[in-house]
Amino acid sequence: MSNIRTVLRNYPRGFIILGGVLAAILMVGMGAATIVAVVTIFEKKAYLGDICFSSDCVGGFVKMIGPAISIAKATLDFGVAIATMGGILVALLSYFNSASNAALTNHIEHLRVFTSYIEAELRKRDRLSSSHFDILFLYGKIFSLSRTGKTTVSNDYLKFIDGLNDIIAESNERCCVGTPGGFSYNDHQRRVRDHMIGVGITVYMAPRNDYFEMEKQLFSLLDRVNQSFCSSGEISYICRQDYF
């Protein structure tokens, strides 16, 4: 895509160069045809004859300067071919330009809707603060190809959700009676905190009850985002937490 953007930035100058080359070819070709015609006329002393516009006279004159006409025709054919290729190039670059502009417009609109949605969901949850969310970073993690017009969920975000579920599953297992080492909510907090920073969400250490209330709201927010912006079945639900 970067190569296309480079072409789009430079194509006006490219068309000027193409026009210059086309003009040069026409000038050289037509100049050569004119010189051949003039030389032929002088060699044949055609300028000494009477002016005649009959079909025989015209036919004879055309036959006499036939090589010059062939050069002119070949030059025009070549010029038309170049102009046709230039027209195709213009249409192609115009398409890329329109597609690029449409992709950027869709990206901005999708990001605007996503940001508004996150902010609205945060207002419903008293344990979460917008200052702890880098929404632009989170959006980029989920939709890494958005600028190209694609809003499919990125593999990085799918791995993030799977990793979060692994943390929850391990904590669920550790909270069971008799599990070696047992469950430590401080260790659990640190693991969740370190994991969340990968998508631009800051989690602070807090007392047990306060933390679990915050975590419950955080996970419900992520589930809502996944359900609203990701295709059904495309991404895993966040596991149930049995360690509360």
Side-chain angles (χ1 to χ4, degrees):
M1 193 68 184
S2 60
N3 291 334
I4 294 174
R5 291 196 186 99
T6 300
V7 172
L8 291 175
R9 284 196 297 268
N10 296 329
Y11 81 81
R13 183 170 61 180
F15 289 140
I16 292 174
I17 294 173
L18 179 63
V21 170
L22 181 59
I25 291 172
L26 292 176
M27 289 176 63
V28 171
M30 291 304 178
T34 301
I35 291 172
V36 170
V38 171
V39 170
T40 300
I41 290 172
F42 275 92
E43 283 183 349
K44 301 294 186 180
K45 299 186 184 300
Y47 59 90
L48 297 177
D50 295 331
I51 297 176
C52 175
F53 292 104
S54 67
S55 58
D56 291 339
C57 291
V58 172
F61 180 76
V62 169
K63 184 177 180 179
M64 180 180 63
I65 62 170
I69 294 176
S70 296
I71 294 174
K73 183 177 183 303
T75 300
L76 289 174
D77 289 344
F78 188 52
V80 169
I82 292 179
T84 301
M85 291 174 60
I88 294 173
L89 184 60
V90 169
L92 185 61
L93 291 176
S94 296
Y95 167 77
F96 281 134
N97 191 35
S98 298
S100 178
N101 289 338
L104 180 59
T105 300
N106 291 338
H107 162 72
I108 293 173
E109 180 61 21
H110 194 246
L111 174 58
R112 185 188 66 79
V113 172
F114 181 85
T115 301
S116 298
Y117 183 87
I118 293 289
E119 291 174 346
E121 290 296 320
L122 285 172
R123 287 193 292 270
K124 299 176 185 177
R125 295 166 170 82
D126 60 342
R127 297 303 179 102
L128 301 180
S129 171
S130 60
S131 62
H132 298 161
F133 284 74
D134 187 337
I135 298 177
L136 182 60
F137 188 82
L138 175 61
Y139 179 86
K141 274 293 183 179
I142 302 175
F143 307 108
S144 58
L145 299 178
S146 176
R147 289 183 181 274
T148 66
K150 298 178 181 179
T151 54
T152 51
V153 179
S154 71
N155 287 330
D156 283 348
Y157 187 68
L158 294 176
K159 291 177 181 177
F160 166 80
I161 294 296
D162 289 341
L164 179 59
N165 281 333
D166 288 342
I167 293 173
I168 296 171
E170 182 176 339
S171 294
N172 285 340
E173 183 178 348
R174 284 186 173 277
C175 77
C176 295
V177 177
T179 301
F183 172 72
S184 168
Y185 87 90
N186 284 323
D187 289 342
H188 174 80
Q189 280 190 77
R190 279 190 287 270
R191 294 181 67 198
V192 172
R193 178 197 63 190
D194 295 343
H195 193 67
M196 286 294 166
I197 201 66
V199 292
I201 299 174
T202 303
V203 173
Y204 292 102
M205 303 294 284
R208 184 186 187 102
N209 291 337
D210 291 337
Y211 170 77
F212 284 141
E213 282 298 320
M214 182 280 301
E215 184 186 270
K216 186 185 301 183
Q217 292 187 9
L218 174 59
F219 291 173
S220 73
L221 171 63
L222 290 177
D223 261 338
R224 289 289 293 172
V225 170
N226 295 344
Q227 293 167 22
S228 300
F229 287 89
C230 306
S231 301
S232 177
E234 185 178 14
I235 191 167
S236 302
Y237 284 98
I238 295 176
C239 294
R240 174 180 164 181
Q241 301 90 53
D242 295 328
Y243 46 79
F244 289 164

